[in-house]
Amino acid sequence: MSAFLAFLHHLAAFALVASLVVEFVVIRDDINARTARRLALADLVLGVSAGVLLVAGLLRVFYFEKGAAFYFSSGAFIAKLVLFFGVALLSIYPTVRFLRWRRHPNPVEAPAVRRVLHLELIGVVLILYFAASISR
Ligand code: HEM
């Protein structure tokens, strides 16, 4: 089970990065109903992978690996968790825009959304750094 959760955690992490990169690239296209549907689909993958990451991550923290006491005394783990929720908060703005654009595409809003996606990508890179630091 521990190996399966580690696999699921990595799979979801790769899916999250992939969907974020897709959004970052597609948002440079002309924003119309079609690109808005694509963005909303990539965003669904992003949301599902974030959910899987959180559930698999919490199961690893509390029931597998090194125990909750170890992780909650690790600065790298706390930093990773805080960044995770920071990125989750940032992702609300693009999600709301993508859903609205399916009915009312608004290219004027695209640069602001792209800047938020950029911040999310930076946040995820930092999360990967802290993930690697936890046990080292
Ligand atoms: C964008 C979000 C996340 C990404 C990209 C991510 C990525 C990773 C990666 C790549 C590892 C493997 C590190 C290594 O073995 O060198 C890892 C480990 C781990 N992650 Fe995450 N993670 C994310 C979110 C979370 C969350 C939300 C939790 C918990 C609530 C969590 C809990 C853990 C735990 C417990 C480990 C094992 C650490 C160890 O003992 O070495 N992760 N994560």
Side-chain angles (χ1 to χ4, degrees):
M1 189 64 178
S2 160
F4 178 72
L5 283 172
F7 157 73
L8 208 60
H9 198 75
H10 281 84
L11 187 67
F14 278 99
L16 182 136
V17 172
S19 53
L20 205 48
V21 170
V22 166
E23 292 184 2
F24 196 59
V25 171
V26 172
I27 200 159
R28 294 195 91 150
D29 280 359
D30 177 42
I31 300 300
N32 52 43
R34 212 168 80 100
T35 42
R37 264 199 311 278
R38 282 203 178 145
L39 287 165
L41 184 63
D43 210 49
L44 183 65
V45 175
L46 182 87
V48 170
S49 29
V52 171
L53 267 168
L54 183 62
V55 172
L58 287 174
L59 285 171
R60 296 181 85 192
V61 166
F62 287 101
Y63 300 108
F64 302 90
E65 315 299 334
K66 307 179 183 80
F70 171 84
Y71 291 112
F72 284 101
S73 61
S74 155
F77 177 76
I78 307 280
K80 187 181 161 183
L81 208 56
V82 169
L83 278 164
F84 179 83
F85 287 111
V87 171
L89 285 178
L90 279 176
S91 75
I92 294 172
Y93 177 65
T95 299
V96 171
R97 293 299 118 179
F98 297 156
L99 295 177
R100 193 167 302 168
W101 287 353
R102 287 184 308 178
R103 281 162 188 264
H104 308 287
N106 187 355
V108 175
E109 293 169 343
V113 174
R114 193 163 197 271
R115 276 195 294 277
V116 175
L117 294 177
H118 203 175
L119 287 177
E120 287 181 47
L121 271 170
I122 294 168
V124 171
V125 169
L126 290 173
I127 288 175
L128 286 169
Y129 170 75
F130 287 119
S133 310
I134 293 173
S135 295
R136 292 175 178 84

